Amino acid sequence: MEFTRVAVRPDFFADRPLDLVSSGELSARAFRYETGVAGLEISNSRSSMVVLPYMGMQVWFVTFDGKVLSQKSMFEMPQDTTKFGDNYGGFLYHCGLNNINGPADGEADYPMHDVLPFARYRDVYVGVGENECGRYLAVGGTFVFRNSQELHWAYSPELRLYEGKAMVEMVADIENRRTHPLEYLWMCHMNWRGLDGSHFVQTCPIDDEHVQVVPTELGDDSPRAVAIRELSERLVADPSLANSLDETLATVDPELCINYRYLADEDGWAHAMQVTPEGDACYVGWDTARAPYALRWFCRTGDEDGVGIALPSTGTCHSTTYQREHGHFNTLEPGGHDRMNWWFGHLDADEASAMAAKIEKVLA
C-alpha cells in the first residue's frame, strides 16, 4: 500500500479557494463558507462532496454520477453552531461514542448523537494512496475525548474516494487510551434524498425478531401529531410498508425511526439499497462485526426530505439507559483498537441488480 500525506492547517481555509491535491481525476480544494465554516471539496470523475474537517468530519453533500443524492433541507450551507437541530442539512454524521441518540425522560441531558457530530479534529490530512481497491484520495483526522477519571478515547475516521468509482469507503479507528475498559456506542447517520417510487432492499428479514418500529409521539392531538401517530400504527402493524417510498411514506412529519438487526453475507457484511424506478440505487454496506444493527430514518415534511436507508450502529435509536439494559455497548480493552468499515455510494442498474441478487442469497 502506498500513501502520500499532506497535513492540513486551519489557515488553509479562506475566502479564496486553495487547491491542495490534484492527481489525475482526484482533487481536493480548501475553502470557507460565508458562515465561516471550513470545507474540503473533494472529487473524482464520478463523485463530488464537501467534508467539514473541523465540524465533526461531516460530509455536507454528495453528488454521484451527476445526481445530488443527499437530503433536502432548509440549510443551503453549514452553520457555525454546534446545536444539532440548527445545522441539520448534512449528508453524513459520525455519532458517539458515549451516546448515540437523545436522552430519555429522567436521564441526564447530553447532546443529540453525542460529541462526534461537531467534534473539532486535529491532525487533519488529505492524501493520495493506492491499495487493492485502486488509487484513492483520502481525508482524515483524529478527535480525542477526555473526561478526567472516567474516559479517554480517540476516534480517527478516514474517507477514501477511489478513481473511477461512485462508491466511497469509510474506515474509523476507535482507540481506548485509558487503563480500564471502554464501553462505547457508535452510529453513522447518512441522510439520502428520498426518491419517490423507489423501494428498499436489505439483508434483513422483515419480522418481529429483526425489525422494531419505534412510534413517533408528539404528545398532543394536533393534525400533525395525529398524522404521525396513525402512520406509526400502520408501520407497527405491517413493517413491510417501510420498504417502499409510495403514498404511505409521502409525508413523514417530523420523523420516524425503525430499528433493524441485519444478517451478514459470508464476509460478515450487511447490505442495503434504495432502488429507483429506473433501476439504479443508493447503496450502504458495512462490516457487522462491531455494528450488527442499522436504523432506517424518515423525514419527509415538504421542507425536508431525508431518508436514512441504513444507519450502521452498535445499537438502536433508544436512549443510553435502554442500550445498556439491552447489551448494545461494545467493550474495548485498555489500549485496544476497534475498526469500523463501511461503504456508501451509487450503483448503476446492472450493479444494483447484481447486489439485489446477493442480498436475496443472504436472505435465503
Side-chain angles (χ1 to χ4, degrees), residues 21 160 241 262 287 309 313 339:
V21 173
R160 298 172 182 169
L241 294 174
Y262 272 68
D287 185 347
I309 300 168
S313 178
R339 184 177 187 268

Side-chain angles (χ1 to χ4, degrees), residues 169-184:
E169 183 183 19
M170 291 288 307
V171 293
D173 179 77
I174 298 171
E175 179 187 2
N176 179 12
R177 294 186 173 183
R178 279 190 70 83
T179 56
H180 60 257
L182 169 70
E183 292 186 322
Y184 72 87

Side-chain angles (χ1 to χ4, degrees), residues 193-200 243-246 274-277:
R193 185 72 54 99
L195 303 174
D196 289 329
S198 62
H199 66 279
F200 300 99
N243 272 351
S244 299
L245 279 187
D246 55 19
Q274 178 183 211
V275 183
T276 74

Side-chain angles (χ1 to χ4, degrees), residues 10-220:
D11 60 0
F12 286 1
F13 300 86
D15 294 338
R16 183 175 181 177
L18 175 64
D19 291 329
L20 298 180
V21 173
S22 180
S23 178
E25 67 180 62
L26 303 173
S27 66
R29 183 180 65 155
F31 71 99
R32 190 172 296 278
Y33 282 99
E34 295 174 11
T35 54
V37 176
L40 271 173
E41 182 180 13
I42 63 173
S43 63
N44 66 7
S45 60
R46 299 180 60 190
S47 316
S48 66
M49 58 203 69
V50 172
V51 180
L52 310 182
Y54 304 115
M55 187 175 277
M57 284 287 175
Q58 296 176 20
V59 178
W60 188 250
F61 75 89
V62 295
T63 301
F64 293 115
D65 293 327
K67 299 182 177 182
V68 177
L69 294 176
S70 44
Q71 69 169 328
K72 171 190 173 184
S73 81
M74 65 180 70
F75 301 102
E76 67 277 5
M77 65 181 69
Q79 306 299 299
D80 188 12
T81 178
T82 59
K83 187 175 180 181
F84 197 88
D86 290 355
N87 195 31
Y88 193 50
F91 169 75
L92 184 151
Y93 296 82
H94 302 271
C95 303
L97 295 172
N98 308 311
N99 315 285
I100 52 173
N101 295 295
D105 292 342
E107 277 192 326
D109 193 26
Y110 50 80
M112 175 62 71
H113 299 311
D114 203 41
V115 296
L116 285 182
F118 294 97
R120 187 172 178 87
Y121 281 74
R122 67 184 195 188
D123 300 327
V124 175
Y125 62 88
V126 298
V128 175
E130 187 169 3
N131 59 22
E132 64 278 3
C133 296
R135 292 186 73 248
Y136 63 89
L137 173 72
V139 178
T142 297
F143 170 71
V144 179
F145 182 88
R146 298 178 179 90
N147 185 342
S148 179
Q149 304 173 35
E150 294 292 337
L151 295 167
H152 186 190
W153 50 260
Y155 183 76
S156 302
E158 182 175 279
L159 180 152
R160 298 172 182 169
L161 181 62
Y162 288 87
E163 280 186 335
K165 296 183 185 294
M167 296 291 293
V168 177
E169 183 183 19
M170 291 288 307
V171 293
D173 179 77
I174 298 171
E175 179 187 2
N176 179 12
R177 294 186 173 183
R178 279 190 70 83
T179 56
H180 60 257
L182 169 70
E183 292 186 322
Y184 72 87
L185 296 166
W186 172 87
M187 181 173 70
C188 183
H189 209 306
M190 289 171 281
N191 307 319
W192 300 85
R193 185 72 54 99
L195 303 174
D196 289 329
S198 62
H199 66 279
F200 300 99
V201 183
Q202 63 276 318
T203 58
C204 183
I206 306 302
D207 58 34
D208 292 343
E209 180 182 352
H210 295 89
V211 181
Q212 178 195 51
V213 178
V214 181
T216 299
E217 178 54 59
L218 300 184
D220 59 54

Side-chain angles (χ1 to χ4, degrees), residues 256-314:
L256 192 143
C257 288
I258 305 175
N259 297 310
Y260 295 81
R261 185 176 179 92
Y262 272 68
L263 304 181
D265 64 17
E266 64 274 11
D267 297 317
W269 280 67
H271 308 276
M273 295 189 294
Q274 178 183 211
V275 183
T276 74
E278 294 73 34
D280 61 323
C282 307
Y283 168 81
V284 179
W286 71 98
D287 185 347
T288 62
R290 297 289 181 268
Y293 292 90
L295 283 61
R296 180 165 298 158
W297 169 79
F298 297 100
C299 175
R300 311 194 76 197
T301 68
D303 296 301
E304 293 90 9
D305 193 354
V307 174
I309 300 168
L311 315 182
S313 178
T314 56

